[in-house]
Short mmCIF file of all heavy atoms in Angstrom, two decimals:
data_model
loop_
_atom_site.label_atom_id
_atom_site.label_comp_id
_atom_site.label_asym_id
_atom_site.label_seq_id
_atom_site.Cartn_x
_atom_site.Cartn_y
_atom_site.Cartn_z
N THR A 1358 -10.23 10.71 11.56
CA THR A 1358 -10.00 11.91 10.77
C THR A 1358 -8.53 12.07 10.41
O THR A 1358 -8.18 12.93 9.60
CB THR A 1358 -10.48 13.16 11.52
OG1 THR A 1358 -9.79 13.25 12.77
CG2 THR A 1358 -11.96 13.11 11.79
N LYS A 1359 -7.66 11.26 11.02
CA LYS A 1359 -6.23 11.32 10.71
C LYS A 1359 -5.97 11.03 9.24
O LYS A 1359 -4.92 11.40 8.70
CB LYS A 1359 -5.49 10.31 11.59
CG LYS A 1359 -3.98 10.45 11.64
CD LYS A 1359 -3.53 11.56 12.56
CE LYS A 1359 -3.80 11.28 14.00
NZ LYS A 1359 -3.06 10.19 14.58
N LEU A 1360 -6.92 10.37 8.57
CA LEU A 1360 -6.75 10.03 7.16
C LEU A 1360 -6.52 11.29 6.33
O LEU A 1360 -5.73 11.28 5.38
CB LEU A 1360 -7.99 9.28 6.66
CG LEU A 1360 -7.96 8.77 5.22
CD1 LEU A 1360 -6.77 7.86 4.99
CD2 LEU A 1360 -9.25 8.03 4.90
N ILE A 1361 -7.17 12.37 6.70
CA ILE A 1361 -6.99 13.62 5.96
C ILE A 1361 -5.56 14.13 6.12
O ILE A 1361 -4.93 14.58 5.16
CB ILE A 1361 -8.02 14.67 6.45
CG1 ILE A 1361 -9.44 14.16 6.17
CG2 ILE A 1361 -7.80 16.01 5.77
CD1 ILE A 1361 -10.54 15.03 6.75
N GLU A 1362 -5.02 14.05 7.34
CA GLU A 1362 -3.63 14.46 7.57
C GLU A 1362 -2.66 13.57 6.81
O GLU A 1362 -1.64 14.03 6.29
CB GLU A 1362 -3.30 14.40 9.07
CG GLU A 1362 -3.96 15.46 9.91
CD GLU A 1362 -3.50 15.37 11.35
OE1 GLU A 1362 -2.28 15.42 11.58
OE2 GLU A 1362 -4.36 15.25 12.24
N ILE A 1363 -2.96 12.27 6.74
CA ILE A 1363 -2.08 11.33 6.04
C ILE A 1363 -1.98 11.71 4.57
O ILE A 1363 -0.89 11.69 3.98
CB ILE A 1363 -2.61 9.89 6.21
CG1 ILE A 1363 -2.43 9.44 7.66
CG2 ILE A 1363 -1.89 8.94 5.26
CD1 ILE A 1363 -3.13 8.14 8.00
N VAL A 1364 -3.11 12.06 3.97
CA VAL A 1364 -3.11 12.48 2.56
C VAL A 1364 -2.26 13.72 2.38
O VAL A 1364 -1.46 13.84 1.44
CB VAL A 1364 -4.55 12.72 2.07
CG1 VAL A 1364 -4.56 13.38 0.71
CG2 VAL A 1364 -5.32 11.40 2.01
N GLU A 1365 -2.38 14.67 3.32
CA GLU A 1365 -1.61 15.91 3.22
C GLU A 1365 -0.11 15.63 3.36
O GLU A 1365 0.71 16.24 2.67
CB GLU A 1365 -2.08 16.90 4.28
CG GLU A 1365 -3.49 17.43 4.01
CD GLU A 1365 -4.00 18.34 5.12
OE1 GLU A 1365 -3.36 18.37 6.19
OE2 GLU A 1365 -5.02 19.01 4.92
N ILE A 1366 0.26 14.71 4.25
CA ILE A 1366 1.67 14.37 4.43
C ILE A 1366 2.21 13.69 3.17
O ILE A 1366 3.34 13.95 2.75
CB ILE A 1366 1.85 13.46 5.67
CG1 ILE A 1366 1.59 14.25 6.95
CG2 ILE A 1366 3.25 12.86 5.71
CD1 ILE A 1366 1.53 13.40 8.19
N GLY A 1367 1.40 12.80 2.57
CA GLY A 1367 1.81 12.16 1.33
C GLY A 1367 2.04 13.16 0.22
O GLY A 1367 3.02 13.08 -0.53
N LYS A 1368 1.14 14.13 0.11
CA LYS A 1368 1.30 15.16 -0.91
C LYS A 1368 2.53 16.02 -0.62
O LYS A 1368 3.26 16.43 -1.53
CB LYS A 1368 0.04 16.02 -1.00
CG LYS A 1368 -1.13 15.30 -1.66
CD LYS A 1368 -2.25 16.24 -2.00
CE LYS A 1368 -3.34 15.52 -2.80
NZ LYS A 1368 -2.87 15.10 -4.13
N GLN A 1369 2.76 16.30 0.67
CA GLN A 1369 3.93 17.09 1.04
C GLN A 1369 5.22 16.37 0.64
O GLN A 1369 6.18 17.00 0.18
CB GLN A 1369 3.92 17.36 2.55
CG GLN A 1369 5.03 18.29 3.00
CD GLN A 1369 5.07 18.47 4.50
OE1 GLN A 1369 4.82 17.53 5.26
NE2 GLN A 1369 5.37 19.68 4.94
N LEU A 1370 5.25 15.05 0.81
CA LEU A 1370 6.42 14.27 0.41
C LEU A 1370 6.69 14.41 -1.08
O LEU A 1370 7.82 14.68 -1.51
CB LEU A 1370 6.21 12.79 0.77
CG LEU A 1370 7.23 11.79 0.21
CD1 LEU A 1370 8.60 12.04 0.81
CD2 LEU A 1370 6.79 10.36 0.46
N LEU A 1371 5.64 14.25 -1.90
CA LEU A 1371 5.81 14.35 -3.35
C LEU A 1371 6.21 15.76 -3.77
O LEU A 1371 7.06 15.95 -4.65
CB LEU A 1371 4.52 13.94 -4.05
CG LEU A 1371 4.06 12.49 -3.82
CD1 LEU A 1371 2.74 12.22 -4.54
CD2 LEU A 1371 5.12 11.50 -4.29
N ILE A 1372 5.60 16.76 -3.12
CA ILE A 1372 5.91 18.15 -3.46
C ILE A 1372 7.35 18.49 -3.08
O ILE A 1372 8.06 19.17 -3.82
CB ILE A 1372 4.91 19.10 -2.77
CG1 ILE A 1372 3.54 18.96 -3.41
CG2 ILE A 1372 5.38 20.55 -2.86
CD1 ILE A 1372 2.44 19.65 -2.64
N THR A 1373 7.78 17.99 -1.92
CA THR A 1373 9.16 18.26 -1.48
C THR A 1373 10.16 17.66 -2.46
O THR A 1373 11.14 18.31 -2.84
CB THR A 1373 9.39 17.66 -0.07
OG1 THR A 1373 8.46 18.24 0.84
CG2 THR A 1373 10.80 17.94 0.40
N ARG A 1374 9.90 16.43 -2.88
CA ARG A 1374 10.80 15.78 -3.83
C ARG A 1374 10.83 16.55 -5.15
O ARG A 1374 11.90 16.79 -5.73
CB ARG A 1374 10.35 14.35 -4.06
CG ARG A 1374 11.33 13.52 -4.86
CD ARG A 1374 10.81 12.11 -5.05
NE ARG A 1374 10.77 11.40 -3.79
CZ ARG A 1374 9.94 10.41 -3.51
NH1 ARG A 1374 9.06 10.04 -4.41
NH2 ARG A 1374 9.97 9.81 -2.34
N GLY A 1375 9.65 16.97 -5.62
CA GLY A 1375 9.59 17.73 -6.87
C GLY A 1375 10.26 19.08 -6.76
O GLY A 1375 10.98 19.51 -7.68
N ALA A 1376 10.05 19.76 -5.62
CA ALA A 1376 10.63 21.09 -5.43
C ALA A 1376 12.15 21.03 -5.40
O ALA A 1376 12.84 21.84 -6.04
CB ALA A 1376 10.10 21.71 -4.14
N LEU A 1377 12.70 20.07 -4.67
CA LEU A 1377 14.16 19.98 -4.55
C LEU A 1377 14.79 19.45 -5.84
O LEU A 1377 15.94 19.79 -6.15
CB LEU A 1377 14.54 19.10 -3.37
CG LEU A 1377 14.24 19.71 -1.99
CD1 LEU A 1377 14.71 18.80 -0.87
CD2 LEU A 1377 14.89 21.08 -1.85
N THR A 1378 14.05 18.65 -6.61
CA THR A 1378 14.55 18.23 -7.93
C THR A 1378 14.64 19.44 -8.86
O THR A 1378 15.63 19.63 -9.57
CB THR A 1378 13.64 17.16 -8.54
OG1 THR A 1378 13.59 16.03 -7.67
CG2 THR A 1378 14.16 16.71 -9.90
N THR A 1379 13.60 20.27 -8.84
CA THR A 1379 13.61 21.50 -9.64
C THR A 1379 14.76 22.40 -9.24
O THR A 1379 15.48 22.94 -10.08
CB THR A 1379 12.27 22.26 -9.46
OG1 THR A 1379 11.19 21.39 -9.80
CG2 THR A 1379 12.22 23.49 -10.34
N PHE A 1380 14.94 22.56 -7.91
CA PHE A 1380 16.03 23.41 -7.41
C PHE A 1380 17.38 22.85 -7.84
O PHE A 1380 18.27 23.60 -8.26
CB PHE A 1380 15.95 23.48 -5.88
CG PHE A 1380 16.98 24.39 -5.26
CD1 PHE A 1380 16.69 25.71 -5.01
CD2 PHE A 1380 18.25 23.92 -4.96
CE1 PHE A 1380 17.64 26.56 -4.44
CE2 PHE A 1380 19.21 24.74 -4.40
CZ PHE A 1380 18.90 26.07 -4.14
N SER A 1381 17.54 21.53 -7.75
CA SER A 1381 18.82 20.91 -8.06
C SER A 1381 19.20 21.11 -9.53
O SER A 1381 20.35 21.45 -9.84
CB SER A 1381 18.76 19.41 -7.75
OG SER A 1381 19.96 18.77 -8.08
N ILE A 1382 18.23 20.92 -10.42
CA ILE A 1382 18.52 21.07 -11.85
C ILE A 1382 18.85 22.52 -12.18
O ILE A 1382 19.82 22.81 -12.90
CB ILE A 1382 17.33 20.56 -12.68
CG1 ILE A 1382 17.18 19.04 -12.49
CG2 ILE A 1382 17.50 20.91 -14.15
CD1 ILE A 1382 15.94 18.46 -13.11
N ALA A 1383 18.06 23.46 -11.62
CA ALA A 1383 18.33 24.88 -11.86
C ALA A 1383 19.65 25.30 -11.21
O ALA A 1383 20.39 26.15 -11.74
CB ALA A 1383 17.18 25.73 -11.29
#
């Protein structure tokens, strides 16, 4: 069942990168 957590961690990585890129540009 760890596979579900792995997907969530992967999405968190992409979201974090996107969020901080947005913050940086603004």
Side-chain angles (χ1 to χ4, degrees):
T1358 58
K1359 193 79 68 66
L1360 184 57
I1361 298 174
E1362 290 184 55
I1363 291 170
V1364 170
E1365 291 176 348
I1366 290 171
K1368 287 192 174 294
Q1369 185 184 37
L1370 170 66
L1371 297 178
I1372 289 169
T1373 301
R1374 189 180 293 153
L1377 290 183
T1378 301
T1379 304
F1380 183 93
S1381 178
I1382 293 172

